[in-house]
Amino acid sequence: MSEARILFGFHAVLSRMRQHGSSIQEIIIDQDRVDARMRDLLEMAKSQNIRVIQAERHRLDGFIGAHGRHQGVIARVIETPMPYKDIHDVLESDLDEPPFFLILDGVQDPHNLGACLRVADAMGVHAIIAPKDRSVGLNGTVRKVASGAAETVPFISVTNLARTIRELKEAGVYIVGTTMDAPGSLHNTKLEGPIALVMGAEGDGMRRLTQETCDALITIPMFGSVQSLNVSVASGIALYEIRRQRVLAGGKA
Ligand SMILES: C[S@@+](CC[C@H](N)C(=O)[O-])C[C@H]1O[C@@H](n2cnc3c(N)ncnc32)[C@H](O)[C@@H]1O
């Protein structure tokens, strides 16, 4: 029997209801925040026979140990099986375009992982891959910041990232790493076909071994005075460019 855990935030709960409503045991809402969008959410819960409890805000605060971050809605959920348990599942699945991965080499801030999930969903990434060690996992904050994308983008944790990258390469996936001082530029690099974009950690960037396994290293040209971009912003820019090139090459628009 899977253990129940707490999911919070309006979009995180809504997305879970849309994707796997049957995994929600009950929804608890702030009785003083029943506005129009909350009423829509309640309607959907009713149509799926999900139990809804109205409670005072402090009870919701108590669940997550923080005041108000739940946006007035919390769900008690059971873990749902991921559509892909490893990269081979993705590579062997019936994708309607070449595989498209985002690899995060040691992202530790839940807000950054949440934002990466959100933009990965928007750009049609098939899965995010991250090492088990030194990385934040899918916790409540990540799911809330992801705004529902943690329920839609498969997140694959691996014990040995360098080995996983080698396996992707053997399967014909082009591995493109991003660093501040790379020889190549996002402006003039061909990013079509099966691809995995690799991003480094907030403080230290990409590990040397990871860099060495990349087929290409590129930089996102910057024109101001800051030394680097936030990892989720850099992911967004590079993923957008990959999607743009796919569309121009006649792929999914
Ligand atoms: C905050 S940065 C890491 C900064 C770190 N001090 C370093 O030297 O790598 C986090 C990640 O975002 C990506 N990134 C940020 N700005 C970038 C840029 N201008 N070009 C390419 N990648 C960038 C890289 O993947 C980087 O590892």
Side-chain angles (χ1 to χ4, degrees), residues 96-97 124 126 243 246-247 250-253:
D96 57 359
E97 62 169 2
H126 298 124
R243 173 54 66 195
R246 287 184 163 220
V247 172
K252 205 160 88 177

Side-chain angles (χ1 to χ4, degrees), residues 8 24 37 42 49 98 100-101 129 134 161 165 176 182 193 210 222 230 237 244 249 253:
F8 58 91
I24 301 182
R37 72 172 189 168
L42 294 182
N49 291 320
F100 184 10
F101 295 98
I129 302 167
R134 307 176 316 109
L161 185 61
I165 292 178
V176 181
T210 311
M222 299 192 296
N230 169 281
I237 292 171
R244 190 187 73 83

Side-chain angles (χ1 to χ4, degrees), residues 99-164:
F100 184 10
F101 295 98
L102 174 63
I103 298 176
L104 301 176
D105 187 16
V107 167
Q108 300 192 348
D109 181 322
H111 292 90
N112 285 341
L113 177 56
C116 285
L117 279 155
R118 189 170 180 171
V119 73
D121 172 280
M123 293 302 119
V125 167
H126 298 124
I128 290 184
I129 302 167
K132 278 203 175 87
D133 291 347
R134 307 176 316 109
S135 297
V136 64
L138 292 184
N139 62 30
T141 302
V142 171
R143 288 176 189 275
K144 184 191 168 211
V145 175
S147 212
E151 319 304 315
T152 59
V153 180
F155 182 76
I156 300 173
S157 286
V158 298
T159 39
N160 185 331
L161 185 61
R163 186 171 64 209
T164 300

Side-chain angles (χ1 to χ4, degrees), residues 109 111-112 115-116 199 202 220 228-236:
D109 181 322
H111 292 90
N112 285 341
C116 285
M199 310 302 296
E202 292 91 348
I220 300 168
S228 68
L229 295 161
N230 169 281
V231 63
S232 66
V233 173
S235 298

Side-chain angles (χ1 to χ4, degrees), residues 11 14 57 89 103 121 144 148 204 212 221 251:
H11 291 288
L14 185 66
R57 173 174 307 180
D89 284 350
I103 298 176
D121 172 280
K144 184 191 168 211
D204 296 340
E212 285 170 3

